[in-house]
Amino acid sequence: MPPRSTTTPDAAINHTHSIAYWNSVSSDINGMLGGFPQTSRIDLQGSSTFLTKLRRKHHQTPKPTSHKTVNTPTPTLEPLDRVADCGAGIGRITKGFLLNVAKRVDVVEPVEKFTNELVASLDGEEQNSAKGQIGEIINLGLQDWTPSPHSYNIIWNQWCLGHLTDTQLIAYLRRCAAGLITSSSSGKPEAWIIVKENVASDSTGMDIYDDEDSSVTRTEEKWLYCFKEAGLRVVSTEVQKGFPKDLFAVRMWALRPE
Ligand code: SAH
């Protein structure tokens, strides 16, 4: 069992420090991705494929037991009702693919200059339907946000959970679980918490604190520990492929309450 949080690297997390860091960063893809803007396209592609596979698997009807070969057509995936982009920054993920899969995207991001940039960029759009799909814009850190109960198909968390201490993360994930929809008119609900984050090599055995933005990079073991403590089960997981070798490995998890 991981040691108590006062003795672990996350004890050094300071929200004032991280918000000051993010306020000093440019409101563009380069700022969001710490100087690796070229990874955005492949990241969005990987996320979109991961979600599509997850949804298709969810809709798959069990194979008939008879030995007749049945050629079932691939079902069309209907737009999801409501999703949240958490720690959204300038809405790179919202604009890059969440708006394509959901009718409504709520944006949670503590740094107002980033969400202002998102709104301004949509104002400039010729096709303004994207703007109408943005639901609430919530300028809060995730440690202070409680999703409305039973509201979301997907709560997407990417490259921001390192700003929460372990205790805050576990409490937040529990609130996310309560924020997932529990019923749907069309059968079993599509409802997942997605976490896509850097992973520290397990060989060090320790999370790594980064003083520049006051965040931690967790080991896979620590991530799994936090999910379990939050009462979540891993439904699907994958490593993002195609990133530069000198970056941390990036893993996606789809989670649901046990
Ligand atoms: N998820 C976006 C942005 C990543 S950059 C993307 O992948 O493009 C990290 C983001 O986390 C920044 O926008 C930063 O302001 C935000 N952040 C910092 N502290 C946070 C906190 N406590 N809760 C939620 N988000 C936080």
Side-chain angles (χ1 to χ4, degrees):
M1 194 207 279
R4 287 186 62 80
S5 98
T6 44
T7 61
T8 54
D10 70 320
I13 288 173
N14 175 317
H15 297 300
T16 311
H17 179 147
S18 25
I19 297 305
Y21 167 80
W22 285 107
N23 266 304
S24 77
V25 155
S26 57
S27 304
D28 54 21
I29 303 281
N30 191 42
M32 294 297 98
L33 300 186
F36 291 89
Q38 71 280 16
T39 56
S40 186
R41 196 182 54 85
I42 191 151
D43 164 65
L44 294 169
Q45 185 58 54
S47 298
S48 165
T49 308
F50 180 72
L51 184 61
T52 303
K53 281 197 278 187
L54 183 70
R55 296 188 67 197
R56 288 215 192 290
K57 201 165 148 211
H58 175 89
H59 287 293
Q60 234 165 35
T61 39
K63 290 245 160 56
T65 41
S66 91
H67 45 263
K68 267 192 232 154
T69 320
V70 184
N71 238 343
T72 34
T74 319
T76 327
L77 297 171
E78 297 297 326
L80 298 164
D81 285 325
R82 188 175 175 192
V83 305
D85 184 359
C86 299
I90 59 167
R92 184 184 66 88
I93 303 166
T94 291
K95 293 200 287 184
F97 92 101
L98 289 176
L99 285 172
N100 299 334
V101 298
K103 293 179 198 159
R104 165 175 170 168
V105 183
D106 290 347
V107 172
V108 190
E109 163 58 49
V111 174
E112 231 178 300
K113 77 166 189 176
F114 291 156
T115 52
N116 290 344
E117 166 59 33
L118 167 62
V119 172
S121 75
L122 295 175
D123 272 342
E125 296 264 306
E126 283 287 305
Q127 303 277 339
N128 231 338
S129 73
K131 196 176 178 200
Q133 281 173 261
I134 301 287
E136 287 176 67
I137 294 191
I138 301 152
N139 290 121
L140 282 179
L142 296 174
Q143 68 282 1
D144 296 322
W145 182 57
T146 301
S148 310
H150 313 302
S151 298
Y152 292 98
N153 293 108
I154 290 175
I155 302 181
W156 196 279
N157 303 277
Q158 181 164 351
W159 286 326
C160 58
L161 296 179
H163 289 299
L164 272 55
T165 65
D166 295 354
T167 306
Q168 288 173 335
L169 173 62
I170 293 163
Y172 166 67
L173 289 173
R174 287 207 182 111
R175 297 196 297 277
C176 286
L180 293 177
I181 58 160
T182 47
S183 67
S184 145
S185 52
S186 56
K188 47 178 184 166
E190 295 189 85
W192 300 279
I193 300 165
I194 306 286
V195 171
K196 184 168 186 178
E197 290 285 350
N198 292 348
V199 176
S201 141
D202 275 324
S203 65
T204 62
M206 280 290 273
D207 300 346
I208 301 163
Y209 178 71
D210 182 344
D211 192 45
E212 189 183 21
D213 65 352
S214 195
S215 69
V216 285
T217 302
R218 297 183 163 91
T219 61
E220 187 171 357
E221 186 191 7
K222 173 59 78 59
W223 282 114
L224 295 175
Y225 168 80
C226 293
F227 300 154
K228 190 158 179 280
E229 284 294 296
L232 299 171
R233 167 174 75 83
V234 177
V235 179
S236 177
T237 181
E238 248 178 58
V239 171
Q240 169 68 51
K241 296 199 185 75
F243 274 1
K245 291 275 173 288
D246 47 342
L247 298 183
F248 281 118
V250 174
R251 187 173 272 282
M252 300 173 259
W253 292 273
L255 307 163
R256 276 177 75 89
E258 291 278 11

